[in-house]
């Protein structure tokens, strides 16, 4: 098992791009032509969250990548952190690429569980800038946001312009739905409503956030899953919520009386990493290079309501579609990028503090 990158055995990005194309589709994606030998090309085992997301990435990423390179992509589920650590530490790594929350790009690296990425193959120059967005061990996958959604019927079409509305029970009556996990954007929302400037949010003042929450304690309904958040805001059990943009958009698409406020939305991302000891490490690097092309980023953005991490992808997305995606035109100048490194270092304490607050 290598602890670094053997460039003699590796394939340069230029070499990969020149050798990775061939089919009509691949040519359309900017990859030059080859006729890949599938048996020789090998495979990539990709650990995913599954569900409708897996269906989307198979169509947007797996199938075109295999067509372009001959490398088979095999999807597996159950990508828990515990299983990740167990298989790496036992020397029996089964996965080659794993999609994770961004906290794991720091936690996994600190625990020695991740393979360094080969940026001679993976072009990170096109990825949008941002602190900790790219590390030696991870690249961002897609963008998504935690933001304020509201039930227009419950609020009689009154529009909440910012997070102060969450704590204004007279102006915006009704329940508020917050996630049971603290890294949901609701701590940030409380601090912004309490006057903390966006550029001074981190490190988060947990005491101050919970004190702000105490103003509306009796009007908070906690949701356990994002599906539950969508239900609460759709049927009016909650008048306002801090929730993922994908679920809010799904509620709007379903015809529910739901609208979205993009002001001060907390934008974040999902990450992709390669476990230490991955059996198909070189193919994993090629796959990550492919996924981070503008074409592949545009393809997934057209399949699923996540924003591309490569800004050039927006040139390949219709204005109507771009306008609902994280990082799109409607969010420019309005979003705040989450400090996921802070969350990785403080999630345990924040979770304990939230539990204590709920039991008071």
């Amino acid at each position: 098992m290598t602890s670094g990158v053997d460039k003699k055995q590796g394939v340069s990005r230029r070499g990969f791009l020149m050798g990775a194309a061939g089919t009509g589709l691949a040519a359309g994606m900017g990859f030059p032509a080859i006729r890949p030998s599938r048996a020789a090309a090998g495979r990539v085992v990709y650990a995913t969250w599954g569900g409708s997301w897996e269906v989307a990435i198979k169509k947007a990423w797996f199938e075109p990548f295999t067509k372009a390179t001959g490398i088979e992509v095999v999807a597996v589920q159950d990508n828990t952190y515990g299983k990740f650590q167990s298989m790496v530490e036992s020397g029996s790594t089964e996965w080659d690429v794993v999609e994770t929350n961004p906290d794991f790009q720091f936690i996994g690296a600190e625990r020695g569980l991740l393979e360094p990425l080969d940026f001679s193959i993976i072009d990170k120059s096109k990825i949008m800038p941002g602190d900790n967005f790219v590390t030696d061990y991870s690249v961002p996958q897609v963008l998504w946001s935690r933001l304020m959604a509201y039930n227009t019927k419950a609020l009689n079409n009154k529009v909440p312009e910012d997070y102060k509305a969450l704590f204004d029970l007279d102006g915006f009556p009704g329940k508020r739905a917050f996630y049971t996990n603290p890294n949901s954007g609701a701590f940030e929302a409380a601090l912004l409503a309490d006057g903390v400037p966006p550029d001074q949010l981190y490190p988060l003042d947990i005491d101050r956030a919970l004190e702000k929450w105490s103003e509306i304690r009796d009007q908070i309904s906690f949701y356990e899953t994002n599906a539950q958040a969508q239900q609460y805001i759709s049927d009016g059990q909650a008048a306002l919520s801090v929730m993922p943009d994908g679920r809010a958009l799904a509620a709007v698409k379903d015809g529910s009386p739901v609208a979205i406020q993009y002001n001060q939305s907390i934008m974040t991302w999902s990450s992709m990493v390669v476990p230490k000891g991955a059996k198909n490490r070189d193919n994993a690097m090629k796959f990550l290079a492919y996924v981070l092309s503008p074409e592949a980023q545009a393809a997934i953005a057209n399949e699923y309501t996540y924003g591309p991490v490569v800004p050039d992808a927006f040139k390949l997305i219709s204005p109507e579609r771009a306008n609902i995606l994280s990082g799109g035109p409607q969010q420019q100048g309005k979003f705040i990028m989450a400090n996921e490194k802070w969350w990785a270092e403080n999630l345990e304490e924040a979770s304990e503090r939230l539990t204590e607050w709920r039991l008071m």
Side-chain angles (χ1 to χ4, degrees):
M1 185 183 76
T2 178
S3 60
V5 176
D6 185 344
K7 294 183 179 179
K8 291 181 180 178
Q9 295 182 357
V11 181
S12 70
R13 179 175 181 275
R14 176 180 170 81
F16 165 61
L17 292 177
M18 293 189 66
T23 64
L25 177 60
M29 303 277 292
F31 290 90
I34 60 170
R35 291 189 180 280
S37 167
R38 183 162 303 189
R43 68 177 192 165
V44 171
V45 179
Y46 185 99
T48 172
W49 290 298
S52 58
W53 169 246
E54 180 179 329
V55 174
I57 58 178
K58 282 182 175 177
K59 181 178 179 181
W61 289 346
F62 296 2
E63 293 171 6
F65 176 72
T66 298
K67 197 169 185 179
T69 65
I71 299 170
E72 181 186 14
V73 184
V74 179
V76 297
Q77 296 79 38
D78 192 26
N79 57 339
T80 63
Y81 293 174
K83 185 172 182 179
F84 192 119
Q85 182 165 345
S86 176
M87 67 168 59
V88 171
E89 291 181 345
S90 66
S92 56
T93 303
E94 300 173 0
W95 304 332
D96 301 309
V97 176
V98 184
E99 55 189 17
T100 76
N101 291 320
D103 59 345
F104 194 70
Q105 68 187 33
F106 307 108
I107 296 170
E110 183 179 344
R111 295 178 181 175
L113 304 176
L114 306 182
E115 196 78 26
L117 300 187
D118 187 346
F119 290 109
S120 69
I121 297 176
I122 304 166
D123 182 3
K124 61 181 179 182
S125 68
K126 301 294 185 181
I127 298 173
M128 64 179 284
D131 292 342
N132 299 310
F133 210 42
V134 178
T135 73
D136 291 343
Y137 301 93
S138 68
V139 287
Q141 182 188 48
V142 289
L143 297 171
W144 61 283
S145 299
R146 295 148 175 148
L147 42 66
M148 185 163 60
Y150 57 99
N151 186 293
T152 56
K153 188 176 180 180
L155 296 185
N156 291 319
N157 293 314
K158 189 174 181 180
V159 177
E161 298 293 344
D162 55 37
Y163 294 123
K164 290 180 181 177
L166 288 170
F167 304 91
D168 180 4
L169 297 177
D170 293 329
F172 300 89
K175 291 283 188 179
R176 280 71 168 135
F178 293 163
Y179 195 25
T180 49
N181 290 334
N183 58 338
S184 63
F187 274 15
E188 285 90 337
L191 293 170
L192 290 164
D194 205 38
V196 176
D199 62 352
Q200 296 177 29
L201 262 181
Y202 302 96
L204 296 182
D205 187 334
I206 298 174
D207 288 334
R208 185 171 174 177
L210 291 175
E211 187 175 338
K212 189 67 178 176
W213 278 23
S214 295
E215 296 177 7
I216 57 169
R217 175 188 288 272
D218 295 339
Q219 294 300 313
I220 296 177
S221 295
F222 284 97
Y223 60 84
E224 299 281 349
T225 66
N226 292 326
Q228 194 174 28
Q230 182 179 335
Q231 178 186 341
Y232 281 2
I233 204 68
S234 295
D235 62 19
Q237 290 186 63
L240 303 101
S241 179
V242 178
M243 60 189 292
D245 58 346
R247 287 292 181 176
L249 286 165
V252 173
K253 186 178 179 181
D254 288 347
S256 301
V258 174
I260 296 170
Q261 177 55 264
Y262 287 96
N263 286 338
Q264 296 186 324
S265 49
I266 309 299
M267 194 157 73
T268 185
W269 67 95
S270 53
S271 296
M272 295 179 290
V273 299
V274 176
K276 201 171 189 66
K279 294 181 176 65
N280 303 293
R281 185 187 69 87
D282 290 349
N283 282 345
M285 302 301 165
K286 297 173 187 175
F287 179 79
L288 293 178
Y290 180 86
V291 166
L292 291 170
S293 68
E295 292 83 0
Q297 285 284 302
I300 191 61
N302 282 319
E303 287 295 325
Y304 217 83
T305 52
Y306 288 150
V309 297
V310 175
D312 283 351
F314 278 110
K315 299 175 183 176
L316 307 173
I317 301 170
S318 71
E320 294 77 16
R321 184 71 179 177
N323 213 37
I324 66 169
L325 300 174
S326 277
Q330 93 293 338
Q331 217 178 8
Q332 294 305 311
K334 298 178 181 177
F335 72 84
I336 299 167
M337 187 62 82
N339 186 331
E340 295 293 355
K341 191 170 191 298
W342 185 89
W343 274 113
E345 295 169 346
N346 294 278
L347 179 58
E348 184 175 351
E349 179 189 352
S351 298
E352 292 174 355
R353 296 295 308 283
L354 175 55
T355 299
E356 291 171 358
W357 182 88
R358 292 183 64 184
L359 293 174
M360 289 174 60

